[in-house]
Amino acid sequence: MEERVTARMERQSILTARKQSVGLSFVLYEAVLRAPQVDAGQLHRLLEAAPLRNVVLQVLPFERAIPAGLLGSVVLLETRDHERFAFMEGQFASELSADPGVVSRVTERSSRATATTRVATASK
């Protein structure tokens, strides 16, 4: 367990690294933030990360949830060489794809979800 916590903390250092070459954007469904498994420390950490200049944290409210946004997590990646990848994670399978058609569809789905969100800030 200690190794997992250490690894997680090392990954979080990307958020505050002096050389912030990675832009990070997150869309969280409101239900995730209200789940009983989420404690105050986790919510506080999200509010600490939200104002960082390389981080965009958005919340998809209950009333604006769209079915495609609830199918599982999505990660869109672009390398320094402008190669684009989409990683989709579902209940039963995960997929990493560089196929331009797949990346385009996943980007469109992500854009629709992002367009219906609220930006999280520490003042709210």
Side-chain angles (χ1 to χ4, degrees), residues 37-89:
Q37 298 85 353
V38 177
D39 66 32
Q42 291 168 314
L43 293 173
H44 182 71
R45 182 66 185 120
L46 288 172
L47 289 174
E48 286 177 344
L52 297 174
R53 66 182 173 91
N54 64 320
V55 174
V56 175
L57 178 62
Q58 297 173 290
V59 178
L60 181 61
F62 287 121
E63 68 272 9
R64 295 186 188 165
I66 54 175
L70 302 176
L71 294 176
S73 62
V74 172
V75 178
L76 295 167
L77 307 163
E78 185 171 346
T79 68
R80 287 187 178 123
D81 297 329
H82 305 288
E83 294 175 289
R84 297 177 66 209
F85 298 90
F87 176 74
M88 293 88 38
E89 187 171 35

Side-chain angles (χ1 to χ4, degrees), residues 104-117:
S104 178
R105 285 190 301 276
V106 172
T107 300
E108 182 180 331
R109 181 179 117 188
S110 178
S111 294
R112 281 194 312 265
T114 302
T116 62
T117 63

